[in-house]
Amino acid sequence: MNLKTQMLKSTIISLLAFSFIVLIVLIPRDINISLDGHKVVADPSFDMNRYLTYIGDFFRQIIEHGSLGPSRYKGQTAEAAALVAVGMSLLVIVSALLIGFVVGILKGVADYKLSKTKFNVLGHWTTWLFQSIPDFFLMLFVQWFLVKHVPAVRYFAVEGWEAFALPALLVSIYPIFFIARVTSASLLAQEGKMYILLAKAKGLSDRAVVYKHMLRNGIAAILTHLPGLLVFILSNLLVVEYYRNYPGAAWRLFQALDFNPYTGTGPEYEPGVIIGIAFFFMLLFLVVQWISHSARKYFDPR
Amino acid sequence: MKNIPLWLGGTLLAFLVFVAFVGPHLPFIDADLSKERSRWVMKNGEEKLVLPAFKPSSKNLLGTDKEGVDNLSRLVVGAKETILFVLAIAAVRYIIAIPLGIMARRKTGFCHRLITFWNQLFSYMPPVFASALLLALPFLLFAQHRLAWAILILASVEVGRVAVTVQEQAYKMSREPYMEASTALGLRTRTLTKNYYVPIMFPEMIVNFCLDMGKVLLLLGQLAIVNIFLGHEWKEVDYYTMEFVETGLNWATILARHRTDIFLGKFEYVFYPACAMMIAIVTFNLLAEGLRRRFQVRG
């Protein structure tokens, strides 16, 4: 498929999927609570007319005022709230993506090389283990360790180097091992191929064979996993931001949901903020998908 | 070489199943989860009244929570429900995804477009956001069969991804010479499915199924962290105050109940359920790795 058609296709599908999400977000979430004698009764039934009004209002607001609506804070629009939240997390997301990709490939190469020695346990098995530990447990453990034993690091900081370095490092743990696994699998799959044998026969060093031939050849396959990497990062971001009480994109998205155990969705439900942040996630996903497509075309034109 | 992951995974699974089904009947497990409001303890030669939470002792191996309920018993009693939930969600997911993926094997037509869309729909939204968005819908919150709906939602959020994997596999298979031969022979769809698709696709499917069980449990844990339950009831907890009270006894609810402890620097109550979930996830992943080696499926 042509690169441009491919990009156009993924864009159209993403936009379609996004409009579906918008429709889900706009479903009315307020419930009528009334008193029947001394009994509190809730009427959660779905009201089509109200739903249509909500959708109409939302799009009217976009067209007439160019706004996603109000946020829970006075004087702040939903799109401004979404932008602020996204701004708090953007640097973390992008650096986690980079760290995950670069360190992941290095770790993958190391795993591959270690699998030839008796230290195999240190290679593939550490990768496997870290991939198996659930994120909420690992983050909990790190938090416990830092809070109890390394008080010099301000774990809950919202400014200063900790505010950026801690989440970026924590969020990139999973991507590193994910990419490492993909990399070493791609290297292992190439073993014994003719061009590898030729390169070795020419007397090239192991390093040159791995980096110049095998990695160069496998990078296209690794790049296909870049969008998946982003989803990993976003889902880890929620746990890290929630534990740290850091008002980034994932945290703000949940605040906008305003879920409480009394009435489910509370009165502060902000569809505009959710849609704004979801739109940004989609955009980021799309950009990563484009990068992955074009880089694949560049590295592997076949 | 011996298949260590399969052995380890199998042993751990047997342990989990034992804990889930026999565990509540063990003598040191309090299956009723009775609350012990106070306890007399000998301290320096005199009896003293102590209030919960009690520290780990020979009576409570992991201690008790603030209501005096034994932590270990809670974990053991919750194991069965947790494992059944995970199994149900993963099973529903595959029951929907496999037929869709096989029907879309030609990479054209309605099914192909449906699963491509479905896959893209939640691809940029981590499953935990999508499930939270759907689970909090009012008519689902108050639905009579809330639990069934919750299972269906958690399953369907990732149906697209699974269906695309199945489709890819079926597509690759349909281009093999033996498939062309069978088509040329004029085999019926039923025979094709029984003798070709199922035996060839089964190994990879079962490996992916195990991995998915791990993913489902991860999702349950993440949902618990943000305090969304699967099964609950809207009950009057105070005068004219209604609240969703979780009805289940699973690890996710224990995690949810103590999640605010994280901000207070109290980790022990959160650690126990998180640890149990980690062991289960590692079990499923070990099993997947072992089965992969057993069937020689390329990872």
Side-chain angles (χ1 to χ4, degrees), chain A residues 10 13-14 16-18 20-21 24-25 27-31 33 35 38 40-42 44 46 125 128 131-137 140-141 143-144 147-148 156 181 185 189 231 234-235 238-239 242-243 245 250 253-254 257 259-265 269 274 278 281-282 285 289, chain B residues 5 112 116-117 120-129 132-139 141-142 217-218 220-223 225-229 232 234 236-237 240-245 255 259 262-263 265-267 270-271 273-275 277-278 281-282 285-286 289 292-293 298-299:
Chain A
S10 56
I13 296 179
S14 291
L16 248 163
F18 177 68
F20 199 77
I21 297 273
I24 295 178
V25 173
I27 295 175
R29 282 162 195 260
D30 26 21
I31 37 177
I33 293 176
L35 270 182
H38 290 288
V40 183
V41 192
F46 176 71
W125 276 103
W128 183 89
Q131 262 206 306
S132 295
I133 300 175
D135 54 4
F136 55 85
F137 182 80
L140 198 64
F141 185 78
Q143 180 162 356
W144 167 78
V147 170
K148 296 275 176 190
F156 295 99
R181 200 178 162 121
V231 180
L234 292 182
S235 106
L238 172 70
V239 177
Y242 190 88
Y243 279 2
N245 228 351
L253 193 68
F254 259 95
L257 264 175
F259 188 83
N260 66 52
Y262 300 102
T263 54
T265 305
Y269 181 68
I274 300 179
F281 281 174
M282 186 209 62
F285 189 76
Q289 225 170 17
Chain B
H112 173 60
T116 316
F117 178 71
Q120 192 82 9
L121 183 57
F122 296 119
S123 58
Y124 61 87
M125 276 269 207
V128 53
F129 291 127
L133 211 53
L134 290 169
L135 282 174
L137 287 176
F139 43 90
L141 280 175
F142 291 94
L217 194 50
L218 179 69
L220 286 185
Q222 287 172 336
L223 280 175
I225 292 287
V226 291
N227 207 18
I228 295 180
F229 315 124
H232 58 208
W234 207 48
E236 188 160 11
V237 290
Y240 300 110
T241 307
M242 306 294 282
E243 190 177 345
F244 288 111
V245 183
L255 197 61
R259 75 193 199 295
I262 300 167
F263 306 127
K266 284 194 263 178
F267 291 96
V270 199
F271 258 134
C275 235
M277 284 180 149
M278 184 188 75
I281 292 177
V282 167
N285 284 358
L286 269 173
E289 182 68 32
R292 173 178 286 153
R293 290 189 188 187
R298 286 231 248 128

Side-chain angles (χ1 to χ4, degrees), chain B residues 64-266:
Chain B
T64 72
D65 66 4
K66 286 159 228 163
E67 291 174 325
V69 179
D70 184 34
N71 282 329
L72 183 66
S73 301
R74 215 187 258 280
L75 283 183
V76 169
V77 172
K80 185 167 144 193
E81 200 181 290
T82 312
I83 292 172
L84 289 181
F85 266 174
V86 170
L87 205 62
I89 293 169
V92 171
R93 186 178 288 175
Y94 274 74
I95 288 169
I96 304 174
I98 290 177
L100 276 179
I102 291 182
M103 279 193 280
R105 68 182 178 281
R106 286 185 233 284
K107 291 211 170 175
T108 50
F110 173 73
C111 278
H112 173 60
R113 258 171 281 156
L114 177 71
I115 61 172
T116 316
F117 178 71
W118 203 330
N119 187 30
Q120 192 82 9
L121 183 57
F122 296 119
S123 58
Y124 61 87
M125 276 269 207
V128 53
F129 291 127
S131 343
L133 211 53
L134 290 169
L135 282 174
L137 287 176
F139 43 90
L140 289 179
L141 280 175
F142 291 94
Q144 209 178 0
H145 303 290
R146 154 94 180 164
L147 198 59
W149 280 108
I151 288 175
L152 189 67
I153 285 174
L154 291 193
S156 57
V157 162
E158 291 210 83
V159 158
R161 179 179 55 75
V162 176
V164 168
T165 325
V166 176
Q167 179 200 30
E168 204 53 53
Q169 215 190 345
Y171 174 72
K172 233 185 247 165
M173 221 184 102
S174 64
R175 293 166 69 94
E176 297 278 346
Y178 56 78
M179 286 310 289
E180 279 176 35
S182 64
T183 323
L185 281 172
L187 293 184
R188 275 181 303 178
T189 319
R190 199 172 45 154
T191 326
L192 266 180
T193 312
K194 200 180 99 193
N195 294 346
Y196 286 78
Y197 282 114
V198 172
I200 296 172
M201 293 172 74
F202 179 74
E204 197 174 327
M205 217 56 71
I206 192 88
V207 168
N208 285 340
F209 186 81
C210 286
L211 284 176
D212 256 55
M213 293 218 290
K215 281 184 190 152
V216 169
L217 194 50
L218 179 69
L219 179 59
L220 286 185
Q222 287 172 336
L223 280 175
I225 292 287
V226 291
N227 207 18
I228 295 180
F229 315 124
L230 298 193
H232 58 208
E233 263 177 65
W234 207 48
K235 283 184 176 163
E236 188 160 11
V237 290
D238 206 338
Y239 301 115
Y240 300 110
T241 307
M242 306 294 282
E243 190 177 345
F244 288 111
V245 183
E246 77 271 52
T247 46
L249 280 171
N250 57 60
W251 294 338
T253 57
I254 310 176
L255 197 61
R257 185 174 305 160
H258 296 294
R259 75 193 199 295
T260 43
D261 284 5
I262 300 167
F263 306 127
L264 304 173
K266 284 194 263 178

